[in-house]
Amino acid sequence: MVNTLRHIAQHLYPYGTFTLPSSVPGRRGVVYLTFDDGPIPEVTPRVLEILDRYQVKATFFMVGENIDKHPDVFRRVVEAGHSVGNHTYNHLKGIRYSQTEYLANVQKCQEAISQSFNQSSNRPLFRPPYGKAWLWQRRALHRMGYRLIYWDVLTRDYDKSVTPDEMLAKIKRMTSPGSIINFHDSLKSNERMLAVLPHAIEWLQQQGYELLPL
């Protein structure tokens, strides 16, 4: 069932990546933790502390406006060795904007990232807020060199009706080698995400997964 859902998602969203190869040469099964919407001083440093405790690296899809507001938090993420991705400058839902407006907002975020972080050796990572962008927007971003990253395990940590226990159960049920797990280092997710994150990491490591940045 899980593989069927992934196949459907990949068909409906060309140019996007939902999972990655299930293994990396010389390594065991790999899983990728990702965090959207930061950096913010109330949450992101606490995520960094948890990741450091378990010696785990992750990927942060950042909002450009937050980078400009909190450059010190942004630098902490980069200096800790985590990957950084583009999440637009103003957290735009692509289907509400013209291609010109949307692409300009993405580029503005990339400029904010590039001021302090050199990604020249790799294709820049991009995740559309809400997972929503028109096909032609995604195609344009792909042609511009962006690597579009979605997820196959959505924790829904932003949803107050979802408990940490339910989030952890979903992670255990849906994760497989190559999974991309979606969290949020945002005020909306905050305590629920921070409550489940250590337990999720512990379980993943117990299963023999290696947690790597994208």
Side-chain angles (χ1 to χ4, degrees):
M1 179 63 177
V2 172
N3 288 334
T4 299
L5 292 174
R6 290 171 180 164
H7 179 76
I8 292 171
Q10 194 68 65
H11 178 74
L12 294 175
Y13 291 86
Y15 308 109
T17 297
F18 290 83
T19 61
L20 288 166
S22 59
S23 64
V24 174
R27 299 180 186 269
R28 297 167 293 173
V30 175
V31 168
Y32 304 86
L33 298 182
T34 65
F35 298 85
D36 295 357
D37 298 354
I40 59 171
E42 297 88 345
V43 184
T44 308
R46 297 174 69 185
V47 173
L48 293 177
E49 290 170 4
I50 294 171
L51 297 176
D52 184 62
R53 186 192 316 161
Y54 292 96
Q55 299 183 317
V56 166
K57 301 302 181 186
T59 303
F60 291 78
F61 287 92
M62 296 185 173
V63 175
E65 185 177 25
N66 288 340
I67 294 174
D68 286 342
K69 287 180 179 178
H70 312 295
D72 55 330
V73 183
F74 172 79
R75 283 193 295 272
R76 284 188 62 179
V77 173
V78 174
E79 289 171 359
H82 302 287
S83 294
V84 172
N86 185 321
H87 205 44
T88 76
Y89 190 84
N90 298 109
H91 202 261
L92 300 188
K93 184 179 289 188
I95 57 176
R96 293 182 176 177
Y97 294 86
S98 71
Q99 178 156 308
T100 299
E101 291 174 307
Y102 192 64
L103 297 183
N105 203 266
V106 172
Q107 287 295 83
K108 187 175 181 181
C109 178
Q110 198 60 36
E111 290 169 7
I113 292 172
S114 299
Q115 286 175 5
S116 302
F117 182 46
N118 183 7
Q119 288 184 314
S120 60
S121 61
N122 297 301
R123 292 177 62 191
L125 304 174
F126 175 73
R127 173 174 285 166
Y130 312 100
K132 302 291 186 181
W134 293 116
L135 172 61
W136 48 88
Q137 293 169 334
R138 287 181 273 126
R139 181 189 298 121
L141 289 165
H142 177 76
R143 289 174 175 171
M144 291 165 65
Y146 286 95
R147 185 181 178 196
L148 277 65
I149 304 292
Y150 287 83
W151 57 83
D152 66 317
V153 182
L154 179 64
T155 63
R156 298 186 65 84
D157 52 1
Y158 50 81
D159 186 344
K160 292 182 179 180
S161 70
V162 179
T163 68
D165 285 344
E166 290 170 332
M167 282 189 276
L168 183 59
K170 183 175 184 180
I171 290 169
K172 292 180 177 181
R173 185 176 69 253
M174 299 292 292
T175 300
S176 64
S179 280
I180 301 172
I181 302 175
N182 177 286
F183 288 102
H184 296 76
D185 54 327
S186 67
L187 290 175
K188 186 181 292 186
S189 302
N190 198 359
E191 297 303 328
R192 287 184 304 282
M193 179 274 296
L194 292 170
V196 75
L197 182 59
H199 299 292
I201 292 174
E202 289 174 5
W203 180 83
L204 290 166
Q205 291 180 331
Q206 289 167 3
Q207 302 307 303
Y209 289 119
E210 188 167 5
L211 281 64
L212 297 179
L214 294 164

